[in-house]
Amino acid sequence: MISRLLEKIKLKNSRLSTKLIITYILLTVIPMGLLGALAYYEYTKSIEEKVGEYIPKLLKQANNNIENSLDELERLPELIYSSSDVMSVLRDSSYKNQSELHRDQFVVESFLTNTYLDNSSEILGAFLLSKNRSFISTRIPYEGFNIENQSLPYGEEHALGDKIQLILPKQASLKFEGNPPYILLMKQVTDFDNRKSLGTLFLAVKLSFIKDVLADLEEEKNATMWVMDENGQVIFHTDSSKIGSVFTDINDYPLVNGSFQTGTGQEKTLISVNKSARHKWILVHSIPLKHLTMGTDMVRNVTVLAFLALVIITSLISCFLAWSVTKPIKKLGHLMQEVKEGNLSVSIPIHSNDEVGVLAQSFDSMLEEIRELIQKNYSIEIRQKNAELYALQSQINPHFMYNTLQTISMAVEDGESEMVVEMVTLLGRMLRYSLSNKDRLVPISQEVDHIQDYLKIQKFRFEERLTYTIQIELDSGSYFTPKFILQPLVENSIKYGLEKRKGLSIQISVKEILNKQGKKDILFTIRDNGPGINEEKLAELNSKLKSDPMGKRESGFGILNVHARVMMMFGDQYELRVHSSIEKGTEIMIQIPAILKGEVSNYSGIQEDGDGK
C-alpha cells in the first residue's frame, strides 16, 4: 500500500532515503498532527458551546435584576402622595401675592430634595410641572428641560393615568453637567378625591443601576455589553459614547434569546442576547471567540511545541536510520560511477552480511574478472593503436615528397643553383622532422618552423601566385602539439586553390581559447581565398569526418587523416572542422587541449618507445 502511495505521488524514482523519510512522515507526523488538530478543534468547539449556553442564563438573571431595579424606581413617584403639604400646593393654583408662590416653591422643592435626592444617589434631579408652575430640585446644574417631539408647557396635564412612562436617552433635551447617562421616569400626579390631574413628575435617574447589575458580567475585559429597546436604541453601553445611538443590526439577529456567531476567521464573535419580559429591553453580550479560547490556545501552543520537539527528535532518528541504510548503497553507487568513468582499481570497503554486503561482494568479484581481461588485452590494443597511427602518418608523406621533388627538378633545369641549395636545405630539414618518430608531441614552435619551411619551398615554386602569413598569439615553445598536422592541410589549400585562381593567399593562426568546461585549448586556423568547396562535396566531407576515423579512405587523406589522429589522441570532443564557401574560400580549424611540457606524459599511451619502433 505504501509503495502504491509513493508511486502515486511520483516518488517511485526518488532516493531510498527520501522514500524512508516520507514513509515516516506519512505514518507518524501526519496522523499525530491530524489527531492534535482534531482534538483542539473539538475542545474549542466544546468551550464555545458551553459559553454559548452559560452566558444567556447570566443575561436572563441580569435582565431580571434590571427589571427589579426599575420596579423600585417606578415606586418612587408614589412618595409624593405621602406629603399633604405638597398635595395642598398642587391642588391650589391661585396666589394672592408673590410671597405665597415662593413659599409653595420652597415647600415642594424641599420635599423633592429630601425625598428623592437625599435618599437615592442615583437620582440626578426631580422636576414637577403643575398648572403653569415648575418645581425643580437637581443634584448638579442642568440646562434645557424639553422632551423631544413633545411640547410640555408648565401646568399641562398628561393623560398617563397610573402608568409610568420611560423616556430614553437622547429623547430629551435635558442635559446635566458632565453629561452623565440617564433615563427619565415620567409619572402623572392625580388627585384621587376628584380624579383630576394635578401635574407631572419627572425623575432623572442615572444608569449606574444598570452598570451595577452588569458588573459581574464585565470581568472579561474584552467583552462588550449593552442594553437597547426593541427599536435598537441603546439605553446603556459599556462604551458610554454609544448610549442613545441606534443599533441598526438588530434586525439581522436570528434570535433574541440565546447565542449565535458572526464574522469569519479571526474576526468571529460570540453574541448572546436576552429580552426582558415587561419592558422588552434587550441585553446583549458580545465577545471575540479568540478571547474565549485563549486558554485553549495556550494549551495548543504548548502541545504544538511538544509535537514539534517530538517530530524533530523522531525525524533525527528516522534520518539516522535512513542514513545508516542508504550510506553503503550510496558508497557502492559512487564506486560504480568511478568504474563507469574508467577507474577499475577501486576498493570496496563494505563488509556487512546483509543484502548490500552480498551485492558489494558480487560487484568486487566482477571487477576482478574485468581487470584480468583488460590486463590480457591491454598490450594488444596499444600495439594495434600505434600501428594504425603509423599507417596514417605514412599515408601523408608521399604527397609532400612528390610535390617537393618536382619543384627541385624544375629549379635544376632552370639552372638556379642558389635556389636549389636553399630548397634542398629546407627539404632536408623537413625530412628530418618528418621521419623522426621519437616524439609524437612536439613544441608548437617546431611544427610552425616545419610549415614555414614547407611554404618557402612552395613559394619558390609558385612565386607571386602564392602569399602567406603566420600569426602566433601564444608562447609557442611552452605548448605541445601532435606532429605533422599543418602541412597536409596547407598542401590541400595550395593544390586545390591554385587550380582555379591566379593567386592564393594563406593565413595561419595559432591562439589560446577556453572550451565549454572553462579549460584552455589551442586552436589552429588555416584560411585561404581559394575557390572553396561546393555544398555537395562539403556535405560529403563532413559526413566522412563524423564517421569512423580509422575507416579506409579512397581520397581526402590530408584532412581525414589529421582529423583521425586528433580524435584518437584526445577523444571525440576534439576534432577538425571545415567551413567553406565559393565567395570566401575555405577555413579549417583544429582544436586540441593546451598541453604543457609536464603534461606530455599523460599522453604516453600514443607515444612510441625511445627506439622509435
Side-chain angles (χ1 to χ4, degrees):
M1 181 177 178
I2 295 297
S3 61
R4 292 179 181 176
L5 180 59
L6 292 175
E7 184 175 355
K8 286 184 179 179
I9 59 177
K10 299 181 179 180
L11 289 174
K12 184 177 181 181
N13 298 324
S14 299
R15 294 185 300 175
L16 179 59
S17 58
T18 303
K19 292 180 180 179
L20 291 174
I21 293 174
I22 290 179
T23 301
Y24 157 75
I25 293 174
L26 292 176
L27 294 178
T28 57
V29 177
I30 293 179
M32 290 170 60
L34 290 176
L35 288 175
L38 182 61
Y40 170 76
Y41 171 77
E42 292 296 333
Y43 185 40
T44 302
K45 184 179 178 181
S46 174
I47 290 178
E48 293 173 1
E49 291 177 351
K50 294 296 183 183
V51 172
E53 295 174 359
Y54 174 69
I55 292 182
K57 295 179 181 178
L58 295 180
L59 294 182
K60 183 178 180 179
Q61 181 60 45
N63 249 338
N64 291 334
N65 293 338
I66 292 174
E67 292 279 356
N68 294 334
S69 298
L70 284 174
D71 290 342
E72 293 178 2
L73 291 174
E74 289 177 355
R75 285 194 291 269
L76 290 178
E78 302 295 333
L79 296 176
I80 199 170
Y81 295 109
S82 65
S83 173
S84 58
D85 294 337
V86 173
M87 294 300 294
S88 298
V89 171
L90 295 178
R91 289 189 184 101
D92 185 9
S93 60
S94 60
Y95 297 99
K96 297 178 181 180
N97 52 50
Q98 192 70 20
S99 62
E100 291 181 356
L101 175 62
H102 290 161
R103 178 181 55 81
D104 290 347
Q105 282 184 332
F106 175 77
V107 171
V108 175
E109 290 178 356
S110 296
F111 173 81
L112 296 177
T113 300
N114 296 331
T115 303
Y116 296 114
L117 271 63
D118 292 345
N119 292 328
S120 178
S121 60
E122 295 178 349
I123 298 179
L124 296 173
F127 303 84
L128 180 58
L129 304 181
S130 175
K131 300 177 181 179
N132 296 324
R133 297 171 296 175
S134 64
F135 306 96
I136 301 174
S137 177
T138 62
R139 191 180 304 278
I140 54 179
Y142 72 96
E143 62 180 12
F145 181 58
N146 293 311
I147 308 303
E148 185 179 354
N149 298 326
Q150 298 187 41
S151 175
L152 295 175
Y154 295 152
E156 183 179 350
E157 298 178 357
H158 298 275
L160 298 176
D162 294 335
K163 296 180 181 180
I164 292 180
Q165 182 175 341
L166 297 179
I167 300 175
L168 302 180
K170 300 214 176 160
Q171 286 183 332
S173 59
L174 175 65
K175 291 185 179 180
F176 291 93
E177 187 179 77
N179 290 322
Y182 70 94
I183 59 172
L184 277 177
L185 299 179
M186 185 170 67
K187 170 70 175 178
Q188 180 177 310
V189 181
T190 305
D191 187 353
F192 292 105
D193 294 338
N194 51 28
R195 308 301 298 175
K196 290 185 179 180
S197 175
L198 300 178
T200 304
L201 177 64
F202 298 89
L203 295 179
V205 181
K206 289 194 300 183
L207 296 178
S208 57
F209 73 95
I210 299 179
K211 184 177 181 181
D212 294 339
V213 171
L214 301 182
D216 293 337
L217 298 177
E218 292 181 353
E219 293 181 359
E220 176 57 62
K221 296 181 180 179
N222 298 291
T224 303
M225 300 183 64
W226 67 92
V227 180
M228 58 185 174
D229 64 8
E230 290 180 301
N231 298 320
Q233 183 176 3
V234 178
I235 300 169
F236 175 82
H237 201 289
T238 51
D239 182 359
S240 59
S241 64
K242 295 183 179 180
I243 296 177
S245 62
V246 178
F247 190 78
T248 58
D249 293 343
I250 187 172
N251 296 325
D252 298 330
Y253 281 8
L255 44 82
V256 292
N257 287 289
S259 299
F260 58 91
Q261 294 183 11
T262 62
T264 58
Q266 293 294 323
E267 303 299 325
K268 273 190 175 182
T269 303
L270 179 67
I271 296 180
S272 302
V273 294
N274 181 263
K275 188 175 183 178
S276 64
R278 189 161 69 88
H279 291 92
K280 306 300 180 182
W281 284 4
I282 299 173
L283 179 57
V284 184
H285 180 280
S286 174
I287 184 170
L289 285 177
K290 62 182 180 181
H291 297 298
L292 287 178
T293 58
M294 288 182 64
T296 60
D297 289 344
M298 183 177 297
V299 174
R300 177 199 62 189
N301 294 337
V302 172
T303 304
V304 168
L305 291 176
F307 172 72
L308 291 177
L310 180 62
V311 168
I312 291 173
I313 294 173
T314 55
S315 296
L316 291 176
I317 296 174
S318 174
C319 291
F320 174 76
L321 293 176
W323 175 79
S324 63
V325 171
T326 58
K327 181 183 177 182
I329 298 177
K330 289 181 180 179
K331 186 179 294 184
L332 185 58
H334 291 318
L335 293 174
M336 289 181 176
Q337 184 64 30
E338 288 188 34
V339 172
K340 177 182 176 182
E341 294 174 356
N343 182 12
L344 300 178
S345 60
V346 296
S347 175
I348 302 179
I350 300 175
H351 306 290
S352 59
N353 295 322
D354 55 9
E355 289 81 356
V356 178
V358 173
L359 179 62
Q361 293 171 10
S362 300
F363 183 66
D364 193 24
S365 300
M366 180 189 70
L367 281 181
E368 183 65 28
E369 293 180 5
I370 292 175
R371 283 194 291 265
E372 291 178 359
L373 291 174
I374 290 176
Q375 187 66 29
K376 293 177 181 179
N377 295 295
Y378 180 73
S379 299
I380 299 174
E381 290 289 337
I382 292 299
R383 291 192 184 97
Q384 182 178 357
K385 181 80 69 174
N386 285 332
E388 292 169 347
L389 288 173
Y390 300 156
L392 287 173
Q393 185 169 353
S394 68
Q395 290 174 342
I396 298 173
N397 291 331
H399 296 280
F400 161 70
M401 290 295 297
Y402 175 79
N403 292 329
T404 304
L405 291 174
Q406 186 180 28
T407 303
I408 294 174
S409 175
M410 293 174 60
V412 172
E413 291 177 359
D414 293 337
E416 298 178 5
S417 58
E418 293 182 1
M419 186 177 72
V420 171
V421 172
E422 187 173 354
M423 289 180 67
V424 170
T425 301
L426 294 172
L427 178 60
R429 194 159 58 210
M430 290 180 64
L431 290 174
R432 187 165 53 251
Y433 175 80
S434 177
L435 297 175
S436 175
N437 290 328
K438 181 179 180 180
D439 297 318
R440 292 300 181 89
L441 294 176
V442 297
I444 293 177
S445 58
Q446 293 185 17
E447 183 70 9
V448 172
D449 290 342
H450 175 74
I451 197 61
Q452 283 179 334
D453 291 342
Y454 172 79
L455 286 170
K456 286 179 182 179
I457 292 176
Q458 298 293 10
K459 181 70 174 175
F460 281 122
R461 178 183 177 189
F462 297 106
E463 299 179 344
E464 289 80 8
R465 294 179 61 194
L466 175 66
T467 59
Y468 64 90
T469 59
I470 299 177
Q471 185 177 2
I472 308 299
E473 300 179 10
L474 47 73
D475 184 3
S476 61
S478 299
Y479 293 100
F480 284 71
T481 178
K483 289 178 61 175
F484 215 62
I485 64 171
L486 293 179
Q487 181 188 331
L489 305 179
V490 174
E491 187 175 359
N492 278 346
S493 294
I494 295 174
K495 177 180 178 181
Y496 297 106
L498 288 176
E499 286 182 354
K500 299 180 180 181
R501 300 282 188 182
K502 294 182 179 181
L504 179 68
S505 175
I506 297 176
Q507 299 176 355
I508 301 173
S509 67
V510 186
K511 62 181 179 180
E512 292 182 9
I513 62 170
L514 293 177
N515 58 24
K516 294 180 180 179
Q517 288 75 35
K519 297 181 179 179
K520 285 184 180 181
D521 281 348
I522 304 298
L523 180 65
F524 296 88
T525 305
I526 299 95
R527 298 186 185 91
D528 65 56
N529 61 348
I533 307 172
N534 62 45
E535 294 183 2
E536 183 179 351
K537 290 186 177 181
L538 183 60
E540 181 182 357
L541 177 60
N542 285 325
S543 176
K544 291 180 178 180
L545 291 175
K546 292 179 181 179
S547 61
D548 181 13
M550 291 302 300
K552 295 182 178 180
R553 310 296 183 193
E554 299 296 333
S555 61
F557 284 130
I559 294 177
L560 296 176
N561 287 342
V562 171
H563 172 72
R565 293 176 64 203
V566 170
M567 288 186 65
M568 290 173 63
M569 284 185 178
F570 307 117
D572 295 344
Q573 67 271 32
Y574 295 101
E575 58 184 0
L576 182 146
R577 300 189 296 274
V578 180
H579 303 285
S580 183
S581 66
I582 298 176
E583 296 82 7
K584 297 181 179 180
T586 302
E587 178 184 72
I588 301 176
M589 292 179 290
I590 308 170
Q591 185 173 340
I592 66 171
I595 305 171
L596 296 171
K597 184 175 182 180
E599 300 171 341
V600 172
S601 58
N602 296 339
Y603 301 90
S604 59
I606 51 84
Q607 294 291 92
E608 288 183 332
D609 56 21
D611 298 331
K613 296 181 180 179

